Amino acid sequence: MVTALHDVRVERGVDGVLVVCWASDAPLAVDVAVGTSPMASEHFPLTRATTSTTVRLDGLGPERAYVSLRTAGGDVVVVAERRVPFTGITNLRDLGGYATSTGATRWGRVFRADALHKLTAEDLGTFRALGIRTVYDLRGDVERNEFPGPVISVHVPIVGRPPGAAVAPPPEMTANDGETMLRDMYVGILEHSATQLGAIMRGIAIAHHTPVLFHCHGGKDRTGVVAAVLLLALGVDRDTVLDDYEATRRYRRIEHQQDSLASMLASGVSPEAAAGALGTPRWAMAAAVDAIDDVYAGIDAYVTGPVGLTAAELSALRELMVEPAAGRAMTT
């Protein structure tokens, strides 16, 4: 189904008001409704816009809201903020609404995030309102012991190299070397953490385990690879997967990364290389996506091979996570 609406987006303005905008090939009457669930049938109608393609939703407050737009022809598009706003963390995002080959990923089922230990007391209330049932902590033992999370989690450490393979970085590293470090990590995760990826994806495929959240420290590297493999397995196209990876730069800026920078400098990484490694170079994640095709013969072969999912588990994952085209929810 091709919806009459496209490029539908919802963003929270600096004044805290949600702004919904869209495009259409011809003027349309659009009913706008809102609710706390991604189910359009549970939304309360707010307004009808006949000429404008932008609606400001005043008076909703800071709580997470799902917005549905219904045209006169009966098409329904559900959208939400991609990033869930918090005070203590900046990179918690919903992986819903991404177009797939058969529909779109469902809103409110899987979230990716940076380190949850930075959630404030007020944030924890917002976090609980998301209804998350399972949290996967991708960090190693040292990180977890130093910065324990505030919620019960399943420890699934994601690594990009074999145990004991770490070596001291040379002091003359450049920014490009820092980006290369990321590339090597991302490709290495595919090899050295395939079993862990399987545990996470198998868990997501179990309905009563969802909604699910997975996180590392910055929500960019280990989290980024898990998100990329999951989205590819669900049928999301390559460019969208890479866009999702790069979105971290919008939300986790340099002022949010001072602890990561200090840790890298203390380990002997040069300031130039640290700057490269703290970025989101599209080419580095693209190399991992390429490796899935070139080394592992494609996402299905990788997921049912090294990752260890059965064909039935992969089918269950897609059924649970993808809204069929007839009830399609659009990306923001």
Side-chain angles (χ1 to χ4, degrees):
M1 180 189 76
V2 178
T3 181
L5 304 177
H6 52 89
D7 296 330
V8 186
R9 296 181 179 276
V10 55
E11 298 283 352
R12 189 175 295 270
V14 293
D15 56 1
V17 173
L18 286 185
V19 179
V20 186
C21 57
W22 62 89
S24 61
D25 297 330
L28 287 173
V30 179
D31 291 320
V32 180
V34 67
T36 58
S37 160
M39 300 294 294
S41 60
E42 299 177 4
H43 293 182
F44 294 97
L46 290 181
T47 184
R48 164 168 269 184
T50 56
T51 57
S52 174
T53 57
T54 300
V55 171
R56 287 172 55 88
L57 304 181
D58 297 283
L60 294 184
E63 295 80 12
R64 179 165 175 79
Y66 295 90
V67 181
S68 57
L69 294 86
R70 185 185 302 271
T71 69
D75 292 343
V76 179
V77 176
V78 176
V79 292
E81 289 179 89
R82 175 68 58 207
R83 182 179 76 95
V84 184
F86 290 91
T87 300
I89 62 175
T90 63
N91 199 22
L92 194 155
R93 290 185 267 142
D94 195 326
L95 290 180
Y98 285 137
T100 74
S101 54
T102 59
T105 55
R106 297 181 192 269
W107 286 102
R109 292 292 179 89
V110 177
F111 299 85
R112 54 177 294 172
D114 41 346
L116 300 185
H117 71 273
K118 295 184 178 181
L119 289 169
T120 66
E122 183 179 357
D123 285 341
L124 284 172
T126 304
F127 184 87
R128 285 191 289 269
L130 296 175
I132 292 169
R133 294 178 177 174
T134 309
V135 173
Y136 291 103
D137 189 338
L138 313 182
R139 301 175 299 163
D141 289 333
V142 173
E143 295 170 281
R144 283 168 51 86
N145 291 335
E146 185 174 3
F147 303 109
V151 298
I152 296 173
S153 60
V154 181
H155 187 205
V156 186
I158 298 294
V159 298
R161 59 171 66 94
V167 295
E172 67 279 4
M173 292 178 70
T174 66
N176 187 67
D177 291 328
E179 294 186 0
T180 300
M181 287 171 53
L182 293 181
R183 188 274 313 274
D184 293 345
M185 179 199 306
Y186 300 162
V187 174
I189 287 172
L190 299 177
E191 177 181 0
H192 302 295
S193 293
T195 300
Q196 293 92 316
L197 289 168
I200 295 168
M201 295 175 71
R202 195 171 290 111
I204 295 172
I206 301 174
H208 67 267
H209 287 185
T210 61
V212 166
L213 177 144
F214 51 86
H215 76 92
C216 55
H217 180 78
K220 175 175 75 77
D221 301 321
R222 292 164 290 187
T223 294
V225 175
V226 173
V229 172
L230 173 63
L231 292 175
L232 289 169
L234 296 177
V236 177
D237 69 87
R238 171 195 173 94
D239 283 341
T240 301
V241 168
L242 297 179
D243 289 344
D244 179 77
Y245 165 71
E246 285 191 296
T248 286
R249 72 173 57 168
R250 295 178 57 192
Y251 307 122
R252 186 168 164 81
R253 299 182 297 275
I254 189 64
E255 62 266 29
H256 305 130
Q257 302 184 68
Q258 293 305 303
D259 51 353
S260 298
L261 175 60
S263 177
M264 296 183 74
L265 295 178
S267 70
V269 177
S270 71
E272 295 80 8
L278 290 174
T280 53
R282 191 179 183 93
W283 75 270
M285 186 59 73
V289 175
D290 289 341
I292 290 174
D293 289 333
D294 299 339
V295 178
Y296 299 102
I299 187 63
D300 283 15
Y302 177 65
V303 169
T304 58
V307 170
L309 265 64
T310 66
E313 288 172 331
L314 178 56
S315 178
L317 176 70
R318 289 170 172 164
E319 182 175 355
L320 185 65
M321 284 299 304
V322 176
E323 183 78 25
R328 191 164 189 165
M330 297 293 290
T331 184
T332 64

